[in-house]
Amino acid sequence: MIFTLNPKTLFLNYRPEIIEAIEKVIDSGVYLMGEELAGFEKEFAGFLGVKSVIGVGSGTDAITLSLKALGIQSHEDVIVPANAYPTVFGVAASRAHARLCDVEEDTLSVSVRTIEPVLTTKTRAIVVVHLYGMPVVMDEIISLAKRLNICVIEDCAQAVGAKIGNRYVGTFGDIACFSFYPTKNLSTMGDGGAVATNNVQIADRIRRLRMYGEDVRYHSLEPSTHSRLEEIQAAILRIKLLNLKDDLKERQAMGGKYRMVLNSVNLIPDILPKNITHGYHLFVVKSQNRDRLKEKLEAAGFMSLIHYPQPIHFQPAFQRIGNVTYTTRHFPVSENASRQILSLPFYPGLPIESQEKILETVNLWI
Ligand SMILES: Cc1ncc(COP(=O)(O)O)c(C=O)c1O
């Protein structure tokens, strides 16, 4: 038998509460834009410590609607890290111009150093991706953005619960995007996403953009799609949110153990800065012999994954200028990383014996 993350594992513990919540929604007759959504938005805003949370249909929609709400036009540039495969789709759908940049070798995240070479007079925003749950250090990026008068969007799809100091990621930029895809740290049983912001005007505009551009029902101020977090998904998220802190503690204990047992040169970053709380969505190692390590893990009964096998500029979808442009078509750190990274089996509820077998196999073959 091969051990792999079956999303069911992340829901089974809450089965009775989830069934009760779904029945309540069925009986209410309100399936969209009802009190479960309002309740979740208020509770998640309270958890993060932001003024507004707006539920939307997915993390991808959260990114697309955020760029639209910030008023970014199709001829303007939005900087996206070249290794953030899922992020670029939300940018492309907004019709803004995704402009790739490379990432730092030790963190696989953007920094002022990797952003600066791709800045142009058309740059209007940077999407900072807290990849794998590891917070990107924000102060220098925020100072740069302020100086250039550009917006910062935090992609927190993989990083709910990660902190810098005592602030959660998603509270540093102008706007933050979350995904509740079934395997995420805060997840639901289908698609779901949210936008978080302290800016009241932006929040109002996102609320309109998720619903045909309407300020009141059947009165639209601007053309838009609809993208709604369904009542059943919001009800499930409310249950999961109550337990998020405990889930995160388990992820952090497991992450700490993996870090202690594995050689630090293979970790991202080698050493965790003291003021950082990792969200541990994924536990990613680097190996020159990645494919062999993957095979050895599989032979021992464990499925590992690659996030992501190719950087964005190698994807056929993003070859054409007009979708994504490149200062150069070469982002060496992202390219090398895609050949070396491996996401180890890692999720709450993974049995201790399995964790030990995984770590033993990795130490032997990395
Ligand atoms: C970093 C990142 N950004 C954006 C997304 C998109 O989220 P969704 O799948 O909810 O559209 C994901 C999810 O895979 C992600 O991991």
Side-chain angles (χ1 to χ4, degrees):
M1 190 178 89
I2 302 278
F3 260 92
T4 180
L5 169 58
N6 181 337
K8 188 166 86 170
T9 319
L10 305 176
F11 296 94
L12 279 184
N13 285 347
Y14 312 106
R15 193 186 184 114
E17 295 99 308
I18 290 175
I19 290 173
E20 198 183 315
I22 292 175
E23 282 179 350
K24 194 173 146 213
V25 174
I26 293 173
D27 290 339
S28 77
V30 179
Y31 306 130
L32 290 168
M33 308 292 276
E35 55 183 57
E36 295 295 343
L37 175 64
F40 171 68
E41 289 177 337
K42 189 158 172 262
E43 287 150 17
F44 192 41
F47 174 90
L48 291 173
V50 291
K51 278 195 190 137
S52 308
V53 162
I54 305 102
V56 294
S58 68
T60 303
D61 285 355
I63 296 169
T64 308
L65 299 186
S66 294
L67 293 171
K68 290 193 172 169
L70 291 166
I72 294 165
Q73 308 288 316
S74 57
H75 61 278
E76 292 175 323
D77 283 357
V78 174
I79 296 176
V80 181
N83 62 344
Y85 174 81
T87 306
V88 76
F89 293 93
V91 178
S94 79
R95 308 192 72 80
H97 211 197
R99 190 171 189 91
L100 301 185
C101 73
D102 212 348
V103 291
E104 292 287 351
E105 182 117 35
D106 59 337
T107 59
L108 299 189
S109 293
V110 294
S111 69
V112 166
R113 207 182 61 84
T114 69
I115 290 167
E116 271 175 347
V118 304
L119 288 168
T120 69
T121 50
K122 291 198 221 148
T123 307
R124 280 288 315 282
I126 305 165
V127 187
V128 173
V129 184
H130 302 290
L131 200 63
Y132 310 145
M134 169 70 196
V136 178
V137 177
M138 296 299 290
D139 2 343
E140 284 188 7
I141 296 175
I142 300 280
S143 308
L144 175 80
K146 283 212 169 104
R147 195 153 30 90
L148 300 175
N149 196 21
I150 58 183
C151 307
V152 175
I153 295 128
E154 293 182 76
D155 180 344
C156 304
Q158 299 189 2
V160 67
K163 282 183 179 173
I164 303 171
N166 53 17
R167 271 170 73 181
Y168 284 114
V169 298
T171 62
F172 292 88
D174 297 286
I175 201 160
C177 301
F178 292 85
S179 162
F180 307 126
Y181 184 82
T183 55
K184 297 289 194 240
N185 283 15
L186 175 61
S187 63
T188 190
M189 298 171 86
D191 272 318
V195 174
T197 180
N198 280 316
N199 183 315
V200 178
Q201 280 88 30
I202 292 176
D204 283 347
R205 190 153 181 210
I206 298 268
R207 273 190 206 100
R208 295 199 297 269
L209 289 171
R210 75 169 165 188
M211 187 71 185
Y212 298 127
E214 292 176 354
D215 55 350
V216 290
R217 194 71 178 114
Y218 300 127
H219 185 263
S220 174
L221 300 183
E222 57 183 320
S224 185
T225 180
H226 63 70
S227 176
R228 299 169 291 225
L229 180 62
E230 296 166 0
E231 284 293 281
I232 285 180
Q233 307 301 349
I236 296 169
L237 285 164
R238 292 179 85 178
I239 296 164
K240 297 289 296 286
L241 184 59
L242 285 176
N243 293 284
L244 180 59
K245 285 192 176 157
D246 288 341
D247 277 357
L248 285 168
K249 272 193 205 135
E250 192 175 339
R251 284 180 185 274
Q252 274 140 13
M254 208 193 301
K257 174 171 158 192
Y258 276 33
R259 278 196 155 261
M260 212 157 62
V261 176
L262 297 174
N263 183 337
S264 69
V265 294
N266 304 113
L267 303 176
I268 307 163
D270 304 6
I271 296 170
L272 272 187
K274 280 224 162 54
N275 67 334
I276 291 290
T277 309
H278 200 310
Y280 282 120
H281 172 53
L282 297 171
F283 196 99
V284 180
V285 292
K286 285 182 285 190
S287 168
Q288 302 285 351
N289 303 310
R290 190 265 312 276
D291 295 339
R292 185 185 63 185
L293 174 60
K294 192 170 190 322
E295 277 165 28
K296 293 291 177 189
L297 278 166
E298 211 159 314
F302 301 102
M303 181 70 92
S304 55
L305 297 168
I306 300 169
H307 298 92
Y308 297 93
Q310 292 198 319
I312 295 165
H313 57 297
F314 285 3
Q315 297 293 336
F318 294 106
Q319 290 298 303
R320 276 178 300 120
I321 302 229
N323 252 340
V324 174
T325 52
Y326 318 96
T327 36
T328 70
R329 286 183 171 253
H330 191 46
F331 300 102
V333 178
S334 303
E335 290 162 24
N336 276 337
S338 68
R339 292 187 278 267
Q340 292 183 11
I341 46 178
L342 190 66
S343 308
L344 302 184
F346 182 92
Y347 49 88
L350 180 63
I352 305 268
E353 319 81 71
S354 301
Q355 295 177 33
E356 269 150 25
K357 190 85 203 289
I358 290 161
L359 293 171
E360 200 180 293
T361 312
V362 176
N363 268 336
L364 206 59
W365 296 102
I366 203 161

